[in-house]
Amino acid sequence: AQTVTQSQPEMSVQEAETVTLSCTYDTSESNYYLFWYKQPPSRQMILVIRQEAYKQQNATENRFSVNFQKAAKSFSLKISDSQLGDTAMYFCAFMKPPMNYGGSQGNLIFGKGTKLSVKP
Amino acid sequence: GAVVSQHPSRVICKSGTSVKIECRSLDFQATTMFWYRQFPKQSLMLMATSNEGSKATYEQGVEKDKFLINHASLTLSTLTVTSAHPEDSSFYICSARHLNTEAFFGQGTRLTVV
């Protein structure tokens, strides 16, 4: 079974600085997806960034980038130029690609989350 | 991204009654929908996976007779909490996916059983 571990329950960063959230996972699969989701106080889950395991290039989305180390099964999120609106819970998630229509494949397996506070 | 609408956002019900939560995909056909439960300050736990027109697949430990899931159309799935008790109070979130694309989340429903 796949597991996702986020070892930092809480982190804080000053506005405009850079912070890195860590995530490790365990799987025997070779093809999979990894995600970072943000959950602000509204509790709406927002996709921040995704990474396909077969891609060696690290994904980036504006101020958000990942360091994907497949051999080490590590998938960290770097937030540059942190903003007050980045304050939220951040969840790392693993997904086996759905093989076909049906079954439980394609569901997300979440880590326990990291609470990030951006301070002015 | 695609829009998933979940209603109601908050509901309070009396112990012993049933409550229905709806999850709709507004601009795409959701071949698969997922229902999660989230306790305060905890992560999302998958309860069940439903595919349109077939029975839901429940995760181990989830009572299928208590948490009834229906996915009768490609745009609507419902979760009914039957004979609700205070321990069923929680935050319930749905997500919807079309074929092998990524899943999109609803806004969640805060259920309080009094």
Side-chain angles (χ1 to χ4, degrees):
Chain A
Q2 291 80 20
T3 59
V4 178
T5 302
Q6 293 178 249
S7 59
Q8 306 151 315
E10 292 191 39
M11 292 191 73
S12 65
V13 63
Q14 291 295 128
E15 197 175 5
E17 293 188 347
T18 296
V19 64
T20 299
L21 309 183
S22 65
C23 172
T24 58
Y25 58 95
D26 188 24
T27 184
S28 58
E29 303 288 333
S30 59
N31 186 28
Y32 49 87
Y33 295 90
L34 295 165
F35 303 86
W36 279 98
Y37 281 90
K38 169 184 176 180
Q39 188 180 42
S42 68
R43 303 190 80 170
Q44 171 75 57
M45 294 291 285
I46 302 167
L47 177 64
V48 175
I49 200 164
R50 62 180 278 169
Q51 174 83 42
E52 290 88 345
Y54 64 86
K55 290 186 177 179
Q56 292 186 337
Q57 187 173 7
N58 289 322
T60 63
E61 284 290 342
N62 301 315
R63 298 183 294 107
F64 299 89
S65 62
V66 297
N67 183 3
F68 173 47
Q69 301 291 326
K70 191 173 184 179
K73 297 179 182 174
S74 171
F75 183 60
S76 61
L77 174 70
K78 185 171 82 171
I79 306 175
S80 304
D81 185 26
S82 297
Q83 300 176 359
L84 296 178
D86 295 333
T87 293
M89 283 290 292
Y90 286 81
F91 293 99
C92 178
F94 172 99
M95 185 183 85
K96 282 171 59 175
M99 297 292 290
N100 50 33
Y101 184 99
S104 63
Q105 288 180 331
N107 62 285
L108 293 162
I109 299 169
F110 290 93
K112 291 188 175 182
T114 296
K115 183 178 180 181
L116 177 67
S117 299
V118 180
K119 300 183 185 303
Chain B
V3 179
V4 175
S5 178
Q6 186 175 340
H7 289 283
S9 58
R10 289 175 182 264
V11 59
I12 301 173
C13 70
K14 291 185 177 180
S15 186
T17 63
S18 295
V19 61
K20 180 184 286 187
I21 302 169
E22 292 188 347
C23 182
R24 293 179 183 273
S25 56
L26 298 186
D27 51 4
F28 68 102
Q29 293 184 327
T31 50
T32 305
M33 286 188 171
F34 304 92
W35 286 95
Y36 296 87
R37 183 172 181 175
Q38 186 179 30
F39 290 104
K41 299 185 179 181
Q42 293 191 23
S43 189
L44 283 72
M45 297 298 296
L46 180 67
M47 298 174 66
T49 303
S50 73
N51 294 294
E52 183 264 338
S54 60
K55 290 184 178 180
T57 302
Y58 289 81
E59 296 298 301
Q60 193 173 9
V62 177
E63 298 177 60
K64 58 182 67 178
D65 293 332
K66 173 170 237 353
F67 299 100
L68 301 179
I69 292 171
N70 182 279
H71 191 168
S73 78
L74 283 170
T75 58
L76 174 64
S77 177
T78 59
L79 167 67
T80 301
V81 183
T82 63
S83 186
H85 291 285
E87 57 265 31
D88 299 325
S89 298
S90 191
F91 191 70
Y92 294 88
I93 309 176
C94 72
S95 70
R97 187 186 75 215
H98 176 65
L99 298 178
N100 62 349
T101 65
E102 68 190 69
F104 299 91
F105 286 85
Q107 307 95 315
T109 298
R110 183 184 302 277
L111 170 64
T112 304
V113 184
V114 298

